[in-house]
Amino acid sequence: MTDYERICDFQNLYHAHMTLRLGKRNKTEVIRYELELARNLIELSEHLKNRTYKMQGYYHFQVHEPKTRDVFAAYYPDRVLLKCICDQVVTPVLQNRVIYDNAACQKGKGTHFALKRVTKFLAEHYKKHGAQGYALKCDITKYFASIDHATLKSKLDKVILDPEIRAILFDFIDNHHTEGRPGVGLPLGNHSSQWFAIYYLDRADRFIKEELRVKHYIRYMDDILLIHPSKEFLNNALRQMIEVIEGELKLTLNDKTRIFPIRDGVEFLGWRFYITETGKIVRKVKAQTRLRFRRRVKKLQNDYNAGLIELEDVRNSLASYKGHFKHGHAYKFNNRVFKDFVLKRDEKPNDIYLDEIT
């Protein structure tokens, strides 16, 4: 069975839908699609087999956490197809081509993997150099909105070998661009965009690991971190990285990009890492993350009290938050945030306290 035949297969499309609907079964578009699920999947399969498939375009909405972002998402039938293509072709191809310390959105990886790697890097650095040394933190201006279509398609040409699948993926790429910048930008709402963003900076990853030979390097999407004993080395590395990232990949490093002593603490993915005098690596919640978390908890209380969400929604959110903060030294912060956590509703006779929820 060819790659294209696999994405036409009814069972593969069905599996893509079943995975895609997780956590979204109450969404209107998912409910409508499932009302005639068999017919919809057969119709999608037939359009693909007959080469008559056309994507429907994108719809737009905004999310406001941690900051306001414009999200452009394909309509649900198109997302089913994209999920199937990613499952059957894109993921198997690209996951074997990215470096180990490319940490974002892959099986067995993610934020907790990245945090463990940074802890390991700092511990290894301390054994050889103590707390003396430097970190280079790079951040890219509006990463998804700045990815160049021609450069991305050139990279995909070399790894996605089935021309019909490439044509579908390129159609999804070309049907969206950042306002005022034709031929630039990926929509945040597509499953394929995650993989494209993971892979787009692979050239920079390999330059840093294979040419600069930096041992302690990690990237999570556009968050880039290098640790090295020499500030001069990192300054030279940054100059060369700019040639690759801004020259070849047509991206822009923003003013968050800087070199600093690791004894001042290293910020990465919402945490701040410190090396103690004994060499222990302490992970504390970043100030901005603490503020954002307090606001989320307060919103949970207000939404429940107003009847907008149910107790199970509160329980699931709190479990997620507590699970996240278990990965750092956040015991005191947790206690402070949840000290006065109470849920109230006018029609409920009794208040609900934290220990009753968790």
Side-chain angles (χ1 to χ4, degrees):
M1 186 180 289
T2 67
D3 286 347
Y4 191 79
E5 288 171 342
R6 284 207 297 277
I7 71 164
C8 298
D9 182 76
F10 178 90
Q11 289 298 327
N12 289 337
L13 291 169
Y14 175 74
H15 178 75
H17 158 71
M18 294 298 288
T19 306
L20 193 62
R21 74 172 187 169
L22 292 174
K24 302 181 181 71
R25 294 191 67 183
N26 61 337
K27 301 290 185 182
T28 302
E29 60 181 352
V30 178
I31 294 170
R32 286 176 178 168
Y33 197 78
E34 290 198 316
L35 287 174
E36 297 186 82
L37 179 59
R39 184 183 69 81
N40 286 329
L41 292 176
I42 289 170
E43 185 178 90
L44 178 56
S45 177
E46 290 302 314
H47 277 306
L48 290 166
K49 290 175 182 176
N50 297 330
R51 277 65 177 178
T52 56
Y53 164 79
K54 295 290 182 185
M55 75 164 295
Q56 299 174 46
Y58 293 96
Y59 64 93
H60 168 248
F61 60 95
Q62 288 186 326
V63 295
H64 303 281
E65 286 290 344
K67 58 185 176 182
T68 299
R69 296 178 187 271
D70 289 300
V71 178
F72 292 85
Y75 289 92
Y76 192 78
D78 294 332
R79 296 212 306 275
V80 171
L81 174 59
L82 268 184
K83 184 70 171 71
C84 187
I85 292 175
C86 287
D87 288 349
Q88 299 299 320
V89 181
V90 174
T91 300
V93 168
L94 296 188
Q95 70 182 357
N96 294 322
R97 284 173 166 77
V98 298
I99 66 167
Y100 181 73
D101 285 311
N102 181 331
C105 306
Q106 300 167 65
K107 187 176 181 180
K109 295 187 180 179
T111 56
H112 296 148
F113 168 86
L115 297 175
K116 287 178 182 177
R117 292 294 286 172
V118 174
T119 299
K120 181 176 184 291
F121 292 165
L122 288 171
E124 289 177 350
H125 179 92
Y126 181 83
K127 285 181 181 178
K128 287 188 176 181
H129 310 286
Q132 302 303 310
Y134 296 86
L136 166 57
K137 182 85 161 43
C138 299
D139 192 73
I140 293 170
T141 301
K142 297 181 178 179
Y143 180 44
F144 278 77
S146 301
I147 290 176
D148 181 73
H149 291 182
T151 304
L152 174 61
K153 290 191 286 187
S154 175
K155 292 171 68 65
L156 293 176
D157 264 331
K158 299 170 185 175
V159 293
I160 306 297
L161 302 181
D162 190 308
E164 292 186 291
I165 291 179
R166 279 205 311 271
I168 293 174
L169 291 175
F170 289 1
D171 191 32
F172 276 90
I173 293 170
D174 291 335
N175 264 278
H176 171 81
H177 67 266
T178 301
E179 186 175 357
R181 301 182 66 186
V184 175
L186 293 180
L188 284 174
N190 281 358
H191 188 71
S192 57
S193 294
Q194 293 182 2
W195 265 113
F196 295 160
I198 287 168
Y199 187 60
Y200 190 78
L201 277 166
D202 182 66
R203 167 73 179 102
D205 293 340
R206 295 194 175 278
F207 175 75
I208 293 164
K209 292 294 291 183
E210 296 169 6
E211 296 184 43
L212 297 180
R213 304 192 69 80
V214 177
K215 181 180 180 182
H216 296 148
Y217 166 75
I218 193 161
R219 175 168 70 88
Y220 191 98
M221 284 301 184
D222 61 326
D223 284 329
I224 296 170
L225 180 67
L226 295 76
I227 297 169
H228 198 273
S230 169
K231 186 177 183 180
E232 182 182 358
F233 175 89
L234 290 179
N235 272 310
N236 184 54
L238 178 57
R239 285 192 291 270
Q240 295 180 71
M241 287 165 60
I242 288 172
E243 292 178 11
V244 174
I245 293 172
E246 298 193 352
E248 295 181 30
L249 299 177
K250 303 178 183 179
L251 301 168
T252 304
L253 292 174
N254 61 32
D255 56 9
K256 294 179 183 177
T257 298
R258 62 191 185 95
I259 297 170
F260 52 90
I262 60 174
R263 65 174 177 271
D264 293 344
V266 177
E267 288 188 2
F268 196 65
L269 300 181
W271 294 85
R272 193 171 185 89
F273 297 77
Y274 295 93
I275 303 177
T276 69
E277 292 180 358
T278 60
K280 181 180 178 181
I281 311 303
V282 177
R283 231 186 264 168
K284 294 188 176 181
V285 185
K286 205 169 72 169
Q288 191 177 13
T289 306
R290 291 200 300 268
L291 177 61
R292 189 161 62 240
F293 177 65
R294 288 178 186 275
R295 288 173 177 169
R296 286 178 178 174
V297 170
K298 188 65 177 176
K299 187 175 187 301
L300 274 180
Q301 289 177 288
N302 292 339
D303 286 351
Y304 177 83
N305 298 347
L308 300 176
I309 59 175
E310 297 303 321
L311 186 60
E312 189 61 26
D313 300 313
V314 177
R315 182 178 287 113
N316 290 339
S317 294
L318 291 181
S320 174
Y321 296 155
K322 288 197 162 191
H324 177 69
F325 287 119
K326 280 182 181 177
H327 291 269
H329 301 83
Y331 178 78
K332 291 182 180 178
F333 170 66
N334 253 333
N335 284 348
R336 286 197 303 271
V337 171
F338 292 118
K339 180 181 176 183
D340 301 314
F341 188 90
V342 182
L343 298 176
K344 303 179 180 182
R345 268 194 192 168
D346 292 341
E347 69 272 19
K348 301 283 185 180
N350 299 314
D351 295 344
I352 301 175
Y353 294 89
L354 181 66
D355 57 356
E356 299 177 64
I357 304 170
T358 57

